[in-house]
């Protein structure tokens, strides 16, 4: 079976062709994966402007889909998988309406996909079926969540962020330091040249009023807003210490040290939670997916911790880390094989809950 995937939930218009194979080591093969990024448009505004995003998706979608089909040899496809949510509703609507129209006119079925199911299945696209149970950390600009995957297509949420997502924290800290949008790649690059112990930043630990009840729901949750505030406070103090005027950029060596220290704390917070949850869940593998999984230190430290714990660690290729349609095609195929079908009346949903499509139907898990 050949699937056309379509993704327009945020600032990337993407289409991909993915083929199914009867092979657990590599159940899906990416034939094409075209991404039209809108970063240059939103950069001028310091973040994503939803209305501009939706309008640009409309301009790009036809060409992106045509290109994905052509790159895969122009062969017909048997199924269309499209992101239904979560994301920016105007942007989601472009992809979903386009996918429904195409499915209707071509006479092929379509299946709506949850964006995070796409990120989770990007791991399988890259590394083959994961040894189960697995624990997967999804870290993106909009989400920071931990899932237990007890069976293929089943996602049980163990934790999520209470405030900012990790990618959002990167973007906000970059903005504060005058580094532009998106913040992840530039902080990652500067961090490599800084001293990661130079700035003392706190690692947030969420505790319950009853500290002896770690099994209470939410004990695996994350919080990044305190870290962001500490960075902001440090910048103000440092400016004062250097007698710089308000709003002046910090000297480059200070910025590099701050980026390195911030990155060390974010990565340690994420990986402590991932590996604690993996131990508790008796996981046979762990995965890190989503835009922030492109982070060089997160990838390196995850692999090192996995090696020390004797656990296989899956991370997607860089092209499958940030938003793309190949992962949506993969998750769509998984859902289709478990019986999911799109209805013509289905609507985009900015806060769609994640519903499992597997042998042991479970959910919803937001
Ligand atoms: O998954 P994604 O492409 O879009 C969402 O679903 O949100 O993730 C985008 C996020 C942005 O916040 C961006 O700053 C972050 O991923 N990101 C990174 C890196 N590359 C992208 N964060 C840290 N290090 C990176 N190298
Ligand atoms: Zn994403």
């Amino acid at each position: 079976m050949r699937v056309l995937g379509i993704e327009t939930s945020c600032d990337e218009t993407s289409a991909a062709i993915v083929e199914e194979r009867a092979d657990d080591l590599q159940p899906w093969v990416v034939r094409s994966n075209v991404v039209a990024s809108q970063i240059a448009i939103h950069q001028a505004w310091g973040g994503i402007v939803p209305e501009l995003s939706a309008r640009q998706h409309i301009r790009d979608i036809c060409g992106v889909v045509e290109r994905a089909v052509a790159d895969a040899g122009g062969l017909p496809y048997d199924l269309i998988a499209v992101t239904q949510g979560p994301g920016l509703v105007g942007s989601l609507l472009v992809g979903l309406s386009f996918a429904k129209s195409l499915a209707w006119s071509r006479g092929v079925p379509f299946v709506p996909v949850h964006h995070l199911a796409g990120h989770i299945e990007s791991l399988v696209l890259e590394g083959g079926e994961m040894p189960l149970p697995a624990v997967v950390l999804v870290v993106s600009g909009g989400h920071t969540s931990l899932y237990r995957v007890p069976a293929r297509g089943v996602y049980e949420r163990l934790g999520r962020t209470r405030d900012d997502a990790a990618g959002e924290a990167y973007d906000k800290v970059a903005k504060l330091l005058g580094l532009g949008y998106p913040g992840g790649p530039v902080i990652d690059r500067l961090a490599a040249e800084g001293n990661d112990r130079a700035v003392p930043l706190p690692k947030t630990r969420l505790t319950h009023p009853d500290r002896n009840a770690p099994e209470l729901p939410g004990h695996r949750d994350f919080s990044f807003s305190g870290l962001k505030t500490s960075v902001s406070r440090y910048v103000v103090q440092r400016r004062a210490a250097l007698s710089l005027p308000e709003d002046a950029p910090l000297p480059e060596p200070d910025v590099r040290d701050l980026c390195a220290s911030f990155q060390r704390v974010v990565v340690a917070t994420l990986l402590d939670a991932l590996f604690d949850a993996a131990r508790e869940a008796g996981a046979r593998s762990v995965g890190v997916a989503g835009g922030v999984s492109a982070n060089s230190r997160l990838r390196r430290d995850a692999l090192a911790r996995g090696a020390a714990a004797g656990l296989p660690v899956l991370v997607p290729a860089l092209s499958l880390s940030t938003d793309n349609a190949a992962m949506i095609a993969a998750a769509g195929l998984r859902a289709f094989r478990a019986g999911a079908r799109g209805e013509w009346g289905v609507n985009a949903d900015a806060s769609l809950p994640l519903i499992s499509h597997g042998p042991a139907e479970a959910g919803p898990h937001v």
Side-chain angles (χ1 to χ4, degrees):
M1 182 175 253
R2 196 173 302 113
V3 190
L4 167 66
I6 296 179
E7 152 68 36
T8 62
S9 68
C10 195
D11 60 346
E12 264 104 22
T13 317
S14 182
I17 297 282
V18 168
E19 257 171 33
E20 190 182 32
R21 301 197 322 184
D23 180 354
D24 257 15
L25 291 178
Q26 202 180 11
W28 306 310
V29 181
V30 181
R31 292 290 177 213
S32 64
N33 191 17
V34 178
V35 181
S37 170
Q38 302 178 354
I39 284 179
I41 292 167
H42 301 292
Q43 245 160 5
W45 303 90
I48 296 172
V49 183
E51 185 59 25
L52 292 181
S53 168
R55 285 166 191 255
Q56 193 60 34
H57 283 306
I58 292 174
R59 289 186 197 103
D60 287 340
I61 187 115
C62 286
V64 166
V65 169
E66 280 172 355
R67 174 75 183 276
V69 172
D71 282 1
L75 298 169
Y77 39 86
D78 317 290
L79 174 69
I80 299 176
V82 59
T83 310
Q84 184 196 355
L88 304 170
V89 76
S91 301
L92 289 164
L93 267 173
V94 177
L96 185 64
S97 311
F98 189 90
K100 284 199 276 187
S101 313
L102 197 58
W104 184 81
S105 59
R106 291 269 192 265
V108 296
F110 80 99
V111 61
V113 172
H114 191 283
H115 185 77
L116 295 192
H119 276 303
I120 294 171
E121 301 300 350
S122 73
L123 297 168
V124 180
L125 265 179
E126 183 66 11
E129 293 291 0
M130 298 180 77
L132 300 176
V135 173
V136 177
L137 170 71
V138 183
V139 258
S140 70
H143 292 86
T144 298
S145 305
L146 266 178
Y147 289 95
R148 179 171 173 269
V149 183
R152 290 176 191 176
V154 179
Y155 319 113
E156 294 172 4
R157 200 183 67 202
L158 302 173
R160 69 189 159 99
T161 183
R162 300 263 183 98
D163 38 60
D164 291 346
E168 194 178 355
Y170 267 93
D171 295 337
K172 288 179 176 171
V173 165
K175 195 168 184 175
L176 185 80
L177 296 173
L179 300 174
Y181 176 86
V186 59
I187 291 184
D188 195 3
R189 184 165 45 75
L190 291 169
E193 299 155 17
N195 171 2
D196 68 2
R197 299 276 168 182
V199 183
L201 295 170
K203 228 194 307 170
T204 307
R205 287 198 83 93
L206 293 174
T207 50
H208 279 272
D210 179 358
R211 286 167 176 255
N212 296 319
E215 75 284 359
L216 283 176
H219 81 283
R220 292 257 168 255
D221 284 356
F222 301 93
S223 166
F224 290 101
S225 67
L227 176 61
K228 181 190 63 193
T229 307
S230 302
V231 171
S232 149
R233 211 175 290 134
Y234 177 82
V235 170
V236 171
Q237 281 167 3
R238 192 74 189 133
R239 264 196 208 116
L242 297 171
S243 308
L244 292 170
E246 223 179 282
D247 289 343
L250 291 185
E252 256 208 61
D254 286 86
V255 172
R256 284 197 291 262
D257 286 351
L258 187 51
C259 288
S261 304
F262 168 76
Q263 180 148 295
R264 178 179 63 79
V265 173
V266 173
V267 168
T269 306
L270 293 172
L271 294 182
D272 284 355
L274 173 63
F275 282 91
D276 281 357
R279 201 169 30 249
E280 201 174 277
R284 293 183 54 230
S285 64
V286 300
V288 185
V292 182
S293 72
N295 185 265
S296 59
R297 179 157 191 176
L298 183 59
R299 295 170 88 89
R300 195 173 61 235
D301 290 5
L303 293 170
R305 287 209 200 192
L311 266 181
V313 176
L314 282 93
V315 284
L318 287 179
S319 61
L320 296 173
S321 291
T322 43
D323 289 349
N324 67 89
M327 68 184 197
I328 301 302
L333 245 172
R334 177 85 84 205
F336 186 78
R337 287 297 181 208
R341 300 291 182 272
E343 311 253 337
W344 296 120
V346 71
N347 205 353
D349 187 343
S351 47
L352 184 73
L354 176 51
I355 298 186
S356 299
H357 293 289
E361 288 275 338
H365 296 278
V366 181

